[in-house]
Amino acid sequence: PVVTHGLCFCSIGFNSVYHLTDLPSFVSGKYVVMFDPQGAYLPNVSAANPGKRIDYVSSTALTLYSDQLSPYRAFGCDMKVPFQGTLFRFPLRNAEQASSSRLSRQVYTEDDILSLFAQLYEEAVYNLLFLKNVLALEMYVWESDMGEPKIVYSCTLRSQDDKLSWHRQALIRFSGTSAESVEQKIDSFSMDFVSEAFLGNKFEKKSHTYFIVQGMASALSKIGIFATGAAKEYDLHLLPWASVAA
């Protein structure tokens, strides 16, 4: 999302959070930003200005709205100094809210999210395979009697060196070359993953290794000619790129 003087311009990707919540928010730097497109929860909001941006460092926001902001006090964020990162909060839509919501009538419970966590854990390796920068996925729970969140699932790249990063950035390297290149570019490498589950007294650890081959077709190939034509005729800037893992 892009926020300018309280006005929110949200992308299609971000709008998917409204399946879960009516009031998403995030903390980044010295600001906490809240979105209320229905105008149902925040004061003085409208369709043209459906949110609030608060400087929590120089204000008394944490004292006044501790119930809303305290959940952000984790992962190195103390809500006292600017946070060098981004934390999102999606309060789950309960049955009462769903009955009147104009965004979605879907109700989500804690059990639903735990089920999503379990599914994500099983598919985490596949989610990381073709990403360029993400090194790990970790899932935590934070019960009311816990001082801090507790990890329940994780999936991590075993090796996180510069060589692996160089391979994962191949698309950026190859797409930066001339569009008229007649040379096919191929890159290959292996990736090792470690997945762990911490569920009560049960501990599970799994290892996975994948070999990845990725490449950019030449401008003279069939797919290269198609991409060039799409750019000229329809202003569609496609890349003749493919990547497979086994």
Side-chain angles (χ1 to χ4, degrees):
V2 177
V3 181
T4 305
H5 302 299
L7 183 63
C8 171
F9 301 92
C10 293
S11 66
I12 294 175
F14 181 82
N15 283 340
S16 65
V17 305
Y18 292 111
H19 289 294
L20 298 173
T21 185
D22 285 351
L23 187 66
S25 61
F26 69 87
V27 161
S28 189
K30 64 178 182 178
Y31 294 107
V32 57
V33 178
M34 299 181 175
F35 304 116
D36 182 12
Q38 300 179 100
Y41 302 99
L42 300 178
N44 303 317
V45 297
S46 64
N49 185 18
K52 297 287 185 182
R53 185 178 70 170
I54 302 171
D55 181 346
Y56 65 84
V57 174
S58 60
S59 70
T60 58
L62 182 59
T63 301
L64 294 174
Y65 311 112
S66 61
D67 58 334
Q68 295 297 316
L69 302 185
S70 290
Y72 280 116
R73 301 178 72 176
F75 305 110
C77 177
D78 61 8
M79 298 300 289
K80 296 179 181 178
V81 299
F83 178 60
Q84 302 304 311
T86 302
L87 294 175
F88 289 89
R89 183 184 179 215
F90 306 136
L92 301 180
R93 182 183 298 107
N94 60 33
E96 180 181 354
Q97 293 166 335
S99 66
S100 60
S101 176
R102 300 193 303 275
L103 299 175
S104 173
R105 296 302 176 94
Q106 178 66 52
V107 175
Y108 278 93
T109 66
E110 292 181 18
D111 287 341
D112 293 328
I113 300 304
L114 290 176
S115 177
L116 289 175
F117 276 8
Q119 294 176 46
L120 180 57
Y121 169 68
E122 295 298 330
E123 301 172 1
V125 171
Y126 309 125
N127 286 303
L128 289 174
L129 268 176
F130 300 112
L131 298 182
K132 302 178 187 66
N133 298 302
V134 179
L135 301 175
L137 292 175
E138 295 179 344
M139 288 155 273
Y140 293 75
V141 297
W142 196 357
E143 302 288 355
S144 58
D145 60 346
M146 295 179 182
E148 60 185 14
K150 180 183 71 173
I151 192 168
V152 289
Y153 298 110
S154 71
C155 181
T156 307
L157 271 166
R158 190 189 300 272
S159 174
Q160 301 181 8
D161 56 21
D162 292 340
K163 183 178 180 180
L164 178 61
S165 178
W166 184 83
H167 283 296
R168 298 182 86 196
Q169 299 292 328
L171 174 59
I172 296 175
R173 296 200 317 275
F174 293 169
S175 60
T177 59
S178 172
E180 305 300 324
S181 174
V182 297
E183 180 185 354
Q184 177 178 267
K185 301 175 180 65
I186 298 291
D187 179 69
S188 62
F189 62 105
S190 62
M191 297 174 71
D192 299 314
F193 299 90
V194 177
S195 299
E196 296 178 320
F198 310 84
L199 301 173
N201 296 324
K202 179 183 177 182
F203 172 72
E204 176 183 271
K205 184 174 183 178
K206 299 184 292 186
S207 297
H208 310 268
T209 298
Y210 283 86
F211 186 74
I212 294 94
V213 178
Q214 51 193 2
M216 184 84 72
S218 75
L220 299 181
S221 66
K222 288 184 178 181
I223 190 67
I225 293 172
F226 174 82
T228 301
K232 292 180 179 179
E233 296 182 32
Y234 305 105
D235 198 29
L236 291 175
H237 299 280
L238 308 175
L239 290 174
W241 170 265
S243 184
V244 295

